[in-house]
Amino acid sequence: MASKGAISCQQLSKYFGDLAAVSQLDLNIPRETIYGFLGPNGSGKSTTIRMLCGLLLPTSGEAQVLGLHIPSQAELLKTKIGYMTQKFSLYDDLSVAENLRFMAQVYNLSPREQKQQLDKAMSVYRLGDLKNRFVGTMSGGQKQRLALAAATLHKPELLFLDEPTSAVDPQTRRDFWESLFDLVADGVTILVSTHYMDEAERCHGLAILDHGVKVADGSPPQLMEDIDAWVVKVEADEISRVRRHLSTLDNVISVTQLGMHLRVLLDKTISQPAVYVQQQCAPLNININASQIEASLEDVFVMATRASHPAGMAA
Ligand SMILES: Nc1ncnc2c1ncn2[C@@H]1O[C@H](COP(=O)(O)OP(=O)(O)OP(=O)(O)O)[C@@H](O)[C@H]1O
Ligand SMILES: [Mg+2]
């Protein structure tokens, strides 16, 4: 069983009335990796996570999670997984220690395990000094450390983290990701949803979701290498005029302004992308400098979701 993947699902779908929140989703997630769901609001990230946790019944399709069949064996799965919900779900009017003790009871830890795991959580997640603090008075980053401590108290093999860093600053996010890699080194598999490109880029594997559909998947370097577009950086004096002009061209998939330069995605059928941009801008009589550059994950995201977010002036 150890060689088998942590999660696989086939044609998993969830409808709310007529709305396909998740549509025909196939996944194969290896053990001891961090797998990301990257997608805009309403793309089906939380719904998928809730189905894979066994908390929400799929409309059709099935999944195997840690070797258990979902939905039929969902009850058995509950003790093997940890789930950090999108909204902070611990008790503001209990202290850190009380919250953790409560979770230890929910997970049915023996008194010995309880003590051991609480001590460990206090030190690993730097909660010792906050032990008696009411959770309602803590910062976003402190709450997040507590939420991760609570979700891992029962030593789950698989962790579901639904947008865990949406309320914390970049440094806290970095620290949090270090904790995630430590967990993976200890044998845990992690499924994490995010809106942030930098977070998605840290994952071993990634699925980009849009309107409930998986529109791309692979490792971040692979996705960037396989992108079906050229990326051209354009510097110019009248940058907004250049942007408006480029966004009207058929071969231009998207134009984004980043400070004083543009990032242009071009159809791959063009043979010399930088020269093409230069030539197309000639009638403007503006001094421009165009150069081909490597794709970023954001470029991959724009390409993958462009069917539902029409081309042009993304910014
Ligand atoms: N219980 C529900 N009843 C009806 N519609 C729902 C329900 N839960 C989710 N939806 C709808 O399903 C779609 C997917 O929602 P979901 O919460 O999975 O998206 P998400 O990717 O997690 O979004 P976000 O980034 O905003 O958290 C949305 O259109 C949402 O409104
Ligand atoms: Mg969500």
Side-chain angles (χ1 to χ4, degrees), residues 41-42 44-47 86 162-163 193 195:
N41 290 128
K45 303 181 297 295
S46 298
T47 304
Q86 190 165 350
D162 198 357
E163 289 185 37
S193 75
H195 288 144

Side-chain angles (χ1 to χ4, degrees), residues 84-297:
M84 217 171 124
T85 55
Q86 190 165 350
K87 270 197 182 151
F88 183 74
S89 54
L90 295 167
Y91 296 97
D92 276 350
D93 48 2
L94 293 184
S95 71
V96 166
E98 286 165 341
N99 264 290
L100 289 176
R101 268 199 296 275
F102 175 74
M103 288 311 289
Q105 280 159 16
V106 170
Y107 293 132
N108 252 333
L109 300 190
S110 68
R112 213 177 107 238
E113 278 175 322
Q114 193 177 129
K115 161 130 188 37
Q116 220 171 41
Q117 286 302 97
L118 250 74
D119 288 349
K120 189 172 154 203
M122 295 291 179
S123 88
V124 171
Y125 297 106
R126 294 179 282 120
L127 295 166
D129 291 345
L130 301 166
K131 203 162 141 182
N132 298 317
R133 273 279 283 279
F134 285 115
V135 168
T137 68
M138 298 199 315
S139 75
Q142 292 167 337
K143 281 187 182 180
Q144 185 205 40
R145 295 209 301 275
L146 174 62
L148 187 59
T152 53
L153 209 57
H154 56 307
K155 298 196 264 185
E157 291 169 57
L158 174 60
L159 255 185
F160 292 94
L161 308 174
D162 198 357
E163 289 185 37
T165 65
S166 49
V168 299
D169 65 49
Q171 181 57 47
T172 307
R173 255 159 67 193
R174 284 170 69 110
D175 293 346
F176 183 78
W177 273 79
E178 274 173 30
S179 307
L180 299 191
F181 281 110
D182 287 344
L183 285 163
V184 171
D186 284 344
V188 177
T189 306
I190 298 177
L191 174 56
V192 58
S193 75
T194 182
H195 288 144
Y196 298 116
M197 299 297 156
D198 64 318
E199 271 194 339
E201 212 164 335
R202 293 170 194 255
C203 296
H204 298 103
L206 193 64
I208 300 180
L209 302 180
D210 193 24
H211 289 99
V213 176
K214 185 175 73 176
V215 287
D217 66 354
S219 70
Q222 198 63 54
L223 285 165
M224 290 187 266
E225 199 180 313
D226 293 348
I227 187 172
D228 193 21
W230 300 122
V231 188
V232 175
K233 178 179 176 182
V234 179
E235 289 158 308
D237 293 336
E238 293 175 60
I239 200 84
S240 297
R241 231 179 107 209
V242 176
R243 171 166 56 81
R244 283 196 297 275
H245 176 65
L246 286 174
S247 60
T248 62
L249 303 178
D250 282 349
N251 287 321
V252 170
I253 299 163
S254 102
V255 188
T256 311
Q257 185 163 350
L258 295 158
M260 291 311 290
H261 73 265
L262 302 178
R263 200 173 177 94
V264 184
L265 296 184
L266 279 182
D267 198 299
K268 262 232 157 129
T269 54
I270 290 165
S271 55
Q272 288 182 295
V275 174
Y276 173 86
V277 169
Q278 205 94 36
Q279 283 170 349
Q280 293 297 319
C281 289
L284 296 178
N285 260 327
I286 297 174
N287 224 352
I288 83 156
N289 182 11
S291 54
Q292 197 179 336
I293 54 171
E294 303 266 301
S296 67
L297 198 57

